[in-house]
mmCIF file with all atom_site columns, all heavy atoms in Angstrom:
data_model
loop_
_atom_site.group_PDB
_atom_site.id
_atom_site.type_symbol
_atom_site.label_atom_id
_atom_site.label_alt_id
_atom_site.label_comp_id
_atom_site.label_asym_id
_atom_site.label_entity_id
_atom_site.label_seq_id
_atom_site.pdbx_PDB_ins_code
_atom_site.Cartn_x
_atom_site.Cartn_y
_atom_site.Cartn_z
_atom_site.occupancy
_atom_site.B_iso_or_equiv
_atom_site.pdbx_formal_charge
_atom_site.auth_seq_id
_atom_site.auth_comp_id
_atom_site.auth_asym_id
_atom_site.auth_atom_id
_atom_site.pdbx_PDB_model_num
ATOM 1   N N   . LEU A 1 34 ? 152.556 -107.577 8.364  1.00 90.00 ? 34 LEU A N   1
ATOM 2   C CA  . LEU A 1 34 ? 151.159 -107.230 8.118  1.00 90.00 ? 34 LEU A CA  1
ATOM 3   C C   . LEU A 1 34 ? 150.295 -108.485 8.185  1.00 90.00 ? 34 LEU A C   1
ATOM 4   O O   . LEU A 1 34 ? 150.778 -109.594 7.954  1.00 90.00 ? 34 LEU A O   1
ATOM 5   C CB  . LEU A 1 34 ? 151.022 -106.571 6.743  1.00 90.00 ? 34 LEU A CB  1
ATOM 6   C CG  . LEU A 1 34 ? 151.815 -105.283 6.543  1.00 90.00 ? 34 LEU A CG  1
ATOM 7   C CD1 . LEU A 1 34 ? 151.710 -104.809 5.113  1.00 90.00 ? 34 LEU A CD1 1
ATOM 8   C CD2 . LEU A 1 34 ? 151.334 -104.207 7.489  1.00 90.00 ? 34 LEU A CD2 1
ATOM 9   N N   . PRO A 1 35 ? 149.007 -108.334 8.488  1.00 92.00 ? 35 PRO A N   1
ATOM 10  C CA  . PRO A 1 35 ? 148.132 -109.515 8.540  1.00 92.00 ? 35 PRO A CA  1
ATOM 11  C C   . PRO A 1 35 ? 147.891 -110.111 7.151  1.00 92.00 ? 35 PRO A C   1
ATOM 12  O O   . PRO A 1 35 ? 148.108 -109.448 6.135  1.00 92.00 ? 35 PRO A O   1
ATOM 13  C CB  . PRO A 1 35 ? 146.834 -108.963 9.136  1.00 92.00 ? 35 PRO A CB  1
ATOM 14  C CG  . PRO A 1 35 ? 146.864 -107.509 8.888  1.00 92.00 ? 35 PRO A CG  1
ATOM 15  C CD  . PRO A 1 35 ? 148.308 -107.103 8.863  1.00 92.00 ? 35 PRO A CD  1
ATOM 16  N N   . ALA A 1 36 ? 147.414 -111.343 7.129  1.00 87.00 ? 36 ALA A N   1
ATOM 17  C CA  . ALA A 1 36 ? 147.178 -112.037 5.864  1.00 87.00 ? 36 ALA A CA  1
ATOM 18  C C   . ALA A 1 36 ? 145.983 -111.468 5.112  1.00 87.00 ? 36 ALA A C   1
ATOM 19  O O   . ALA A 1 36 ? 146.006 -111.355 3.884  1.00 87.00 ? 36 ALA A O   1
ATOM 20  C CB  . ALA A 1 36 ? 146.965 -113.529 6.115  1.00 87.00 ? 36 ALA A CB  1
ATOM 21  N N   . ASP A 1 37 ? 144.929 -111.101 5.821  1.00 90.00 ? 37 ASP A N   1
ATOM 22  C CA  . ASP A 1 37 ? 143.761 -110.522 5.172  1.00 90.00 ? 37 ASP A CA  1
ATOM 23  C C   . ASP A 1 37 ? 143.060 -109.580 6.149  1.00 90.00 ? 37 ASP A C   1
ATOM 24  O O   . ASP A 1 37 ? 143.417 -109.492 7.299  1.00 90.00 ? 37 ASP A O   1
ATOM 25  C CB  . ASP A 1 37 ? 142.803 -111.611 4.680  1.00 90.00 ? 37 ASP A CB  1
ATOM 26  C CG  . ASP A 1 37 ? 142.399 -112.585 5.767  1.00 90.00 ? 37 ASP A CG  1
ATOM 27  O OD1 . ASP A 1 37 ? 142.817 -112.395 6.918  1.00 90.00 ? 37 ASP A OD1 1
ATOM 28  O OD2 . ASP A 1 37 ? 141.671 -113.536 5.467  1.00 90.00 ? 37 ASP A OD2 1
ATOM 29  N N   . GLY A 1 38 ? 142.082 -108.863 5.624  1.00 90.00 ? 38 GLY A N   1
ATOM 30  C CA  . GLY A 1 38 ? 141.351 -107.913 6.453  1.00 90.00 ? 38 GLY A CA  1
ATOM 31  C C   . GLY A 1 38 ? 142.047 -106.562 6.518  1.00 90.00 ? 38 GLY A C   1
ATOM 32  O O   . GLY A 1 38 ? 142.968 -106.280 5.756  1.00 90.00 ? 38 GLY A O   1
ATOM 33  N N   . PRO A 1 39 ? 141.627 -105.692 7.441  1.00 93.00 ? 39 PRO A N   1
ATOM 34  C CA  . PRO A 1 39 ? 142.221 -104.367 7.559  1.00 93.00 ? 39 PRO A CA  1
ATOM 35  C C   . PRO A 1 39 ? 143.717 -104.440 7.879  1.00 93.00 ? 39 PRO A C   1
ATOM 36  O O   . PRO A 1 39 ? 144.143 -105.223 8.717  1.00 93.00 ? 39 PRO A O   1
ATOM 37  C CB  . PRO A 1 39 ? 141.457 -103.735 8.719  1.00 93.00 ? 39 PRO A CB  1
ATOM 38  C CG  . PRO A 1 39 ? 140.187 -104.491 8.798  1.00 93.00 ? 39 PRO A CG  1
ATOM 39  C CD  . PRO A 1 39 ? 140.497 -105.879 8.350  1.00 93.00 ? 39 PRO A CD  1
ATOM 40  N N   . GLY A 1 40 ? 144.487 -103.642 7.182  1.00 91.00 ? 40 GLY A N   1
ATOM 41  C CA  . GLY A 1 40 ? 145.928 -103.610 7.393  1.00 91.00 ? 40 GLY A CA  1
ATOM 42  C C   . GLY A 1 40 ? 146.707 -104.582 6.538  1.00 91.00 ? 40 GLY A C   1
ATOM 43  O O   . GLY A 1 40 ? 147.931 -104.594 6.580  1.00 91.00 ? 40 GLY A O   1
ATOM 44  N N   . SER A 1 41 ? 146.020 -105.404 5.748  1.00 93.00 ? 41 SER A N   1
ATOM 45  C CA  . SER A 1 41 ? 146.720 -106.340 4.875  1.00 93.00 ? 41 SER A CA  1
ATOM 46  C C   . SER A 1 41 ? 147.094 -105.658 3.565  1.00 93.00 ? 41 SER A C   1
ATOM 47  O O   . SER A 1 41 ? 146.569 -104.597 3.225  1.00 93.00 ? 41 SER A O   1
ATOM 48  C CB  . SER A 1 41 ? 145.847 -107.565 4.599  1.00 93.00 ? 41 SER A CB  1
ATOM 49  O OG  . SER A 1 41 ? 144.696 -107.203 3.868  1.00 93.00 ? 41 SER A OG  1
ATOM 50  N N   . ILE A 1 42 ? 148.012 -106.273 2.843  1.00 93.00 ? 42 ILE A N   1
ATOM 51  C CA  . ILE A 1 42 ? 148.468 -105.726 1.556  1.00 93.00 ? 42 ILE A CA  1
ATOM 52  C C   . ILE A 1 42 ? 147.285 -105.600 0.605  1.00 93.00 ? 42 ILE A C   1
ATOM 53  O O   . ILE A 1 42 ? 146.477 -106.519 0.487  1.00 93.00 ? 42 ILE A O   1
ATOM 54  C CB  . ILE A 1 42 ? 149.534 -106.642 0.927  1.00 93.00 ? 42 ILE A CB  1
ATOM 55  C CG1 . ILE A 1 42 ? 150.792 -106.663 1.768  1.00 93.00 ? 42 ILE A CG1 1
ATOM 56  C CG2 . ILE A 1 42 ? 149.840 -106.254 -0.501 1.00 93.00 ? 42 ILE A CG2 1
ATOM 57  C CD1 . ILE A 1 42 ? 151.765 -105.565 1.480  1.00 93.00 ? 42 ILE A CD1 1
ATOM 58  N N   . ALA A 1 43 ? 147.185 -104.459 -0.073 1.00 93.00 ? 43 ALA A N   1
ATOM 59  C CA  . ALA A 1 43 ? 146.129 -104.239 -1.054 1.00 93.00 ? 43 ALA A CA  1
ATOM 60  C C   . ALA A 1 43 ? 146.374 -105.108 -2.281 1.00 93.00 ? 43 ALA A C   1
ATOM 61  O O   . ALA A 1 43 ? 147.501 -105.222 -2.755 1.00 93.00 ? 43 ALA A O   1
ATOM 62  C CB  . ALA A 1 43 ? 146.091 -102.762 -1.455 1.00 93.00 ? 43 ALA A CB  1
ATOM 63  N N   . ARG A 1 44 ? 145.348 -105.716 -2.780 1.00 91.00 ? 44 ARG A N   1
ATOM 64  C CA  . ARG A 1 44 ? 145.449 -106.588 -3.950 1.00 91.00 ? 44 ARG A CA  1
ATOM 65  C C   . ARG A 1 44 ? 145.500 -105.758 -5.226 1.00 91.00 ? 44 ARG A C   1
ATOM 66  O O   . ARG A 1 44 ? 145.028 -104.617 -5.265 1.00 91.00 ? 44 ARG A O   1
ATOM 67  C CB  . ARG A 1 44 ? 144.270 -107.557 -3.993 1.00 91.00 ? 44 ARG A CB  1
ATOM 68  C CG  . ARG A 1 44 ? 144.145 -108.430 -2.763 1.00 91.00 ? 44 ARG A CG  1
ATOM 69  C CD  . ARG A 1 44 ? 145.336 -109.372 -2.638 1.00 91.00 ? 44 ARG A CD  1
ATOM 70  N NE  . ARG A 1 44 ? 145.159 -110.298 -1.536 1.00 91.00 ? 44 ARG A NE  1
ATOM 71  C CZ  . ARG A 1 44 ? 145.930 -110.325 -0.466 1.00 91.00 ? 44 ARG A CZ  1
ATOM 72  N NH1 . ARG A 1 44 ? 146.914 -109.478 -0.330 1.00 91.00 ? 44 ARG A NH1 1
ATOM 73  N NH2 . ARG A 1 44 ? 145.714 -111.207 0.482  1.00 91.00 ? 44 ARG A NH2 1
ATOM 74  N N   . PRO A 1 45 ? 146.075 -106.302 -6.284 1.00 90.00 ? 45 PRO A N   1
ATOM 75  C CA  . PRO A 1 45 ? 146.247 -105.538 -7.528 1.00 90.00 ? 45 PRO A CA  1
ATOM 76  C C   . PRO A 1 45 ? 144.944 -105.026 -8.140 1.00 90.00 ? 45 PRO A C   1
ATOM 77  O O   . PRO A 1 45 ? 144.923 -103.932 -8.703 1.00 90.00 ? 45 PRO A O   1
ATOM 78  C CB  . PRO A 1 45 ? 146.918 -106.543 -8.470 1.00 90.00 ? 45 PRO A CB  1
ATOM 79  C CG  . PRO A 1 45 ? 147.589 -107.518 -7.588 1.00 90.00 ? 45 PRO A CG  1
ATOM 80  C CD  . PRO A 1 45 ? 146.735 -107.605 -6.349 1.00 90.00 ? 45 PRO A CD  1
ATOM 81  N N   . GLY A 1 46 ? 143.866 -105.772 -8.039 1.00 92.00 ? 46 GLY A N   1
ATOM 82  C CA  . GLY A 1 46 ? 142.604 -105.316 -8.621 1.00 92.00 ? 46 GLY A CA  1
ATOM 83  C C   . GLY A 1 46 ? 142.106 -104.032 -7.994 1.00 92.00 ? 46 GLY A C   1
ATOM 84  O O   . GLY A 1 46 ? 141.675 -103.105 -8.696 1.00 92.00 ? 46 GLY A O   1
ATOM 85  N N   . ARG A 1 47 ? 142.167 -103.954 -6.691 1.00 94.00 ? 47 ARG A N   1
ATOM 86  C CA  . ARG A 1 47 ? 141.749 -102.729 -5.995 1.00 94.00 ? 47 ARG A CA  1
ATOM 87  C C   . ARG A 1 47 ? 142.674 -101.571 -6.326 1.00 94.00 ? 47 ARG A C   1
ATOM 88  O O   . ARG A 1 47 ? 142.241 -100.432 -6.496 1.00 94.00 ? 47 ARG A O   1
ATOM 89  C CB  . ARG A 1 47 ? 141.744 -102.943 -4.491 1.00 94.00 ? 47 ARG A CB  1
ATOM 90  C CG  . ARG A 1 47 ? 140.591 -103.737 -3.998 1.00 94.00 ? 47 ARG A CG  1
ATOM 91  C CD  . ARG A 1 47 ? 140.606 -103.765 -2.484 1.00 94.00 ? 47 ARG A CD  1
ATOM 92  N NE  . ARG A 1 47 ? 139.444 -104.464 -1.996 1.00 94.00 ? 47 ARG A NE  1
ATOM 93  C CZ  . ARG A 1 47 ? 138.942 -104.275 -0.803 1.00 94.00 ? 47 ARG A CZ  1
ATOM 94  N NH1 . ARG A 1 47 ? 139.495 -103.422 0.021  1.00 94.00 ? 47 ARG A NH1 1
ATOM 95  N NH2 . ARG A 1 47 ? 137.877 -104.943 -0.416 1.00 94.00 ? 47 ARG A NH2 1
ATOM 96  N N   . ARG A 1 48 ? 143.959 -101.861 -6.392 1.00 94.00 ? 48 ARG A N   1
ATOM 97  C CA  . ARG A 1 48 ? 144.917 -100.798 -6.690 1.00 94.00 ? 48 ARG A CA  1
ATOM 98  C C   . ARG A 1 48 ? 144.690 -100.230 -8.086 1.00 94.00 ? 48 ARG A C   1
ATOM 99  O O   . ARG A 1 48 ? 144.716 -99.010  -8.286 1.00 94.00 ? 48 ARG A O   1
ATOM 100 C CB  . ARG A 1 48 ? 146.336 -101.332 -6.565 1.00 94.00 ? 48 ARG A CB  1
ATOM 101 C CG  . ARG A 1 48 ? 146.706 -101.677 -5.136 1.00 94.00 ? 48 ARG A CG  1
ATOM 102 C CD  . ARG A 1 48 ? 148.064 -102.284 -5.056 1.00 94.00 ? 48 ARG A CD  1
ATOM 103 N NE  . ARG A 1 48 ? 149.060 -101.267 -5.359 1.00 94.00 ? 48 ARG A NE  1
ATOM 104 C CZ  . ARG A 1 48 ? 150.298 -101.303 -4.920 1.00 94.00 ? 48 ARG A CZ  1
ATOM 105 N NH1 . ARG A 1 48 ? 150.702 -102.308 -4.183 1.00 94.00 ? 48 ARG A NH1 1
ATOM 106 N NH2 . ARG A 1 48 ? 151.138 -100.353 -5.220 1.00 94.00 ? 48 ARG A NH2 1
#
Side-chain angles (χ1 to χ4, degrees):
L34 300 174
D37 54 3
S41 65
I42 294 274
R44 302 295 186 244
R47 284 186 176 204
R48 292 176 69 154

